[in-house]
Amino acid sequence: MSLGSSIRVLTNDQVRPGCMSEMHKNPDRNACVIKGVVKQGSHLLHWAKAFCSYGKDATGQLVYYEGREALDGELFLDQLRRQIHEHLSYCSNRLINVKDVEPAKAERISDMRMVKILVNHIEHMMELCQDASGAWSNDDFWGVKLEINMADNANPEFHHDGHINVRLVSTFVGDGIVLASKDAMYWGAYGDGRPEDMPVVMWNQEIASAEHPTSTGDIVLMRGGMSGASRPCVYRSPYSARRDAEQLVITLDRIPATQRERLVGLKDEEKLPVTVLSGFLGAGKTTLMTHVLNNREGQRVAVLVNDMASINVDAQLLKDGVKLHESNDKMVELQNGCICCTLKEEDLMESVRELALERRFDYLLIESTGISEPLPVASTFAATDDMGYPRIGGVTRLDTLVTVVDSLNFLKDFQSNTNLEDRSELGAEEGDERSIVNLLVDQIEIANVLILNKIDLVTPDELDSLKAILKKLNPSALLIETKFGVTSPSMILNTQRFNQKEVSMLPGWHQELHGTGGHKPETEEYGISSFIYSAERPFHPHRLESLKKSGVTQWGVIRSKGLIWSDSDHDCAVEWSQAGSSMTLQPGRRWQDGPIEDDKYKGRQFGDRRQELVFIGQNMKETEIRQALDEALLSEAEFDKSITRAAKRARTHV
């Protein structure tokens, strides 16, 4: 049966191996509708209907590309089963936890038996596609899209796909797509395009004298602009799809190999390595970058420069000081925005992605502004989309986080109590409440490489003292001493020092607390030391506040951080964070009463509630610090009364 000369119609019983080959052999044939592949009343359609019944609470587009986030050696069908099940499980858990849907009902969405049946149907579509395509390359790859209740994605205007060979569509819920046969099309008017003031329905009627709807459970094969058909298949979404009707549609494409890198990503060894250069204003970042670029030994480089000033001074300095070869090198300037904020903007993420996909650069070097924090930048390279796929991590690899330290001014800035917005030359936005000392700590603690610049401006003793402090703040970082930023490019490029899984273990306070630093204690010559304070009674809220106001720098403390227990809240911990004269106490995670993951706290009367603080400092008065902390705790008598009150409150709420 045919609908005009271009559309062939078959029942599912008429489909035989090889029967779709007529599609590519006959240039006038541009579509085939296989009726009733999934029978009405089948388990698969019943499952799909139940899924879509959650309306806007179950809305989304799930896209899968062969090889994208696949496991080693995993075949595409196995990849599909695993990834679809993971995404549907996330959806069912969200319905349970956020929408209060009964677990037994919500979990039917991610039923593995139904996932397998769904993938079997997609496998059948793949077989039909291969049969109908004619030209076939094993280098091409599959793309599968599931659209659930996506009214906004529906296109009710007649159109065709110009960049594909054969596309297959199968509708499980809602009205099927609508085709226009080649004979019914007014191709001249169609080629002119729809006038802006003409309604879509009127336009469809203007260019197609007849149209042919398909049904739920059908599989529709449509030839596109790359198929060799005399005319591509023209089709549209049903009008009902734009009325927020329930709908589940599966689309299958065989995508040209030229799109693999863009859609699937690169192999780890092919990803563009990225070095992020941070450091406070005036530390010498641009000087270092200029030296590195002028000594790159033929390496092809992409440079991304950021400056908070109204004139991009750093970019101009680099252009003046570095000879960039237009065919090999590229510079991208960011203007008027902190890189840790701007990097998350879609246009810049796309720019970084495009640089990587050009495949003509050996590395990307990013110079951030003097007031940006490295951690948000690092997290951008690990960011994922709504489906959990890497956004730019699939084509780039964060290689090294470098922080340039001003050896002359670091300690002076570290001991200040000034906020960033108090110094106009920093270019901080109004309302930026970050302190200089906290920014310095953020830049030091996460770095893989610390460049101690301007060492010619300090004495050997001052330099040794600074190095001892930095080693305590970040024991894992490589320390490099420089004058005028002169260092080997190999020390900051392609070092492979950054490890996303270990990034939370970089700060010195964390390593001290868990005993993973593995470093030798500094000699008493510089007076750098650290210790852990622990206690199993809560702090008295008023005495804790007094301690916060008086601070701990008077006893030689440079940095302290950890979790504390306050009598004002027995449910949640308080996060203690101090750097120089800046000290904050803010709400933390909930204390655990059971089951407790950490073996150290299992079986304890008060769960994992405790005081646990790491102190790092120079010539610290540990005895006085411990005494001040002990005196801020509840006494034994106060603790007994507090526990009694807490127990009474608990009984009241039972």
Side-chain angles (χ1 to χ4, degrees), residues 229-457:
S230 58
R231 293 287 187 179
C233 177
V234 175
Y235 70 102
R236 65 172 176 84
S237 300
Y239 295 135
S240 60
R242 297 304 299 266
R243 298 196 294 267
D244 294 327
E246 296 173 3
Q247 192 174 45
L248 196 156
V249 179
I250 300 173
T251 303
L252 173 77
D253 289 318
R254 184 71 177 175
I255 303 172
T258 54
Q259 296 296 311
R260 181 180 293 276
E261 292 178 355
R262 182 175 299 278
L263 298 177
V264 177
L266 303 174
K267 298 177 182 178
D268 286 342
E269 62 272 18
E270 297 173 336
K271 293 179 181 179
L272 179 66
V274 180
T275 290
V276 177
L277 196 59
S278 303
F280 196 54
L281 189 73
K285 299 187 299 298
T286 303
T287 304
L288 171 65
M289 181 177 278
T290 301
H291 169 76
V292 169
L293 295 180
N294 278 326
N295 294 273
R296 61 192 186 278
E297 299 176 350
Q299 295 276 333
R300 297 167 301 171
V301 57
V303 183
L304 194 153
V305 183
N306 192 58
D307 197 323
M308 292 297 294
S310 57
I311 300 175
N312 202 330
V313 177
D314 283 354
Q316 190 58 50
L317 286 172
L318 273 174
K319 288 178 179 178
D320 293 342
V322 179
K323 184 178 181 181
L324 293 175
H325 299 280
E326 195 62 36
S327 60
N328 294 328
D329 307 324
K330 180 177 286 189
M331 177 179 287
V332 179
E333 297 177 31
L334 304 182
Q335 194 69 50
N336 295 336
C338 174
I339 193 172
C340 58
C341 303
T342 312
L343 248 183
K344 295 183 181 298
E345 297 296 330
E346 201 64 42
D347 57 343
L348 182 59
M349 292 186 75
E350 186 60 28
S351 295
V352 172
R353 183 176 176 81
E354 290 299 322
L355 286 173
L357 289 173
E358 286 186 35
R359 299 291 298 278
R360 64 186 181 93
F361 301 109
D362 296 311
Y363 60 83
L364 170 62
L365 187 55
I366 298 177
E367 180 192 1
S368 61
T369 179
I371 61 172
S372 68
E373 304 163 25
L375 184 57
V377 179
S379 65
T380 299
F381 287 87
T384 57
D385 60 20
D386 293 338
M387 289 184 60
Y389 295 141
R391 304 192 68 179
I392 56 176
V395 294
T396 62
R397 171 178 59 81
L398 186 54
D399 181 79
T400 316
L401 292 176
V402 179
T403 295
V404 183
V405 178
D406 185 341
S407 299
L408 178 63
N409 294 308
F410 178 82
L411 289 181
K412 181 177 68 175
D413 290 330
F414 196 89
Q415 293 164 358
S416 72
N417 57 5
T418 307
N419 286 345
L420 294 174
E421 66 174 342
D422 296 333
R423 290 174 55 175
S424 58
E425 72 272 18
L426 297 179
E429 295 182 1
E430 184 177 350
D432 191 336
E433 299 180 351
R434 292 178 298 164
S435 66
I436 288 177
V437 63
N438 280 327
L439 174 62
L440 291 172
V441 168
D442 289 337
Q443 292 179 341
I444 293 296
E445 287 186 335
I446 196 175
N448 308 124
V449 177
L450 294 173
I451 303 290
L452 278 64
N453 198 28
K454 305 181 183 179
I455 61 170
D456 52 316
L457 301 181

Side-chain angles (χ1 to χ4, degrees), residues 423-495:
R423 290 174 55 175
S424 58
E425 72 272 18
L426 297 179
E429 295 182 1
E430 184 177 350
D432 191 336
E433 299 180 351
R434 292 178 298 164
S435 66
I436 288 177
V437 63
N438 280 327
L439 174 62
L440 291 172
V441 168
D442 289 337
Q443 292 179 341
I444 293 296
E445 287 186 335
I446 196 175
N448 308 124
V449 177
L450 294 173
I451 303 290
L452 278 64
N453 198 28
K454 305 181 183 179
I455 61 170
D456 52 316
L457 301 181
V458 297
T459 67
D461 285 345
E462 289 172 334
L463 178 60
D464 288 340
S465 179
L466 174 60
K467 288 164 59 179
I469 292 171
L470 296 178
K471 285 180 181 178
K472 272 295 181 182
L473 291 174
N474 188 345
S476 302
L478 172 66
L479 268 61
I480 301 174
E481 303 171 22
T482 65
K483 302 175 186 178
F484 303 103
V486 176
T487 188
S488 170
S490 64
M491 304 304 290
I492 68 170
L493 303 175
N494 289 321
T495 69

Side-chain angles (χ1 to χ4, degrees), residues 1 3 49 53 67 120 238-239 278 359 412 497 573 616 618:
M1 175 181 175
L3 300 175
K49 185 69 176 177
S53 68
N120 287 343
Y239 295 135
S278 303
R359 299 291 298 278
K412 181 177 68 175
R497 284 184 169 273
I616 298 174
Q618 188 172 31

Side-chain angles (χ1 to χ4, degrees), residues 155-228:
N155 184 358
E157 181 177 330
F158 273 124
H159 62 284
H160 71 277
D161 300 304
H163 301 290
I164 63 163
N165 183 346
V166 178
R167 167 167 289 174
L168 282 77
V169 174
S170 185
T171 302
F172 281 11
V173 179
D175 296 328
I177 62 172
V178 179
L179 307 179
S181 71
K182 183 183 70 170
D183 302 333
M185 288 292 299
Y186 299 105
W187 290 102
Y190 176 70
D192 292 337
R194 179 172 65 90
E196 291 184 8
D197 58 348
M198 181 178 286
V200 170
V201 174
M202 184 181 297
W203 162 250
N204 289 338
Q205 294 171 347
E206 185 85 11
I207 62 169
S209 61
E211 55 184 36
H212 309 285
T214 62
S215 304
T216 303
D218 295 349
I219 291 180
V220 184
L221 295 85
M222 300 175 292
R223 299 180 74 182
M226 298 178 64
S227 65

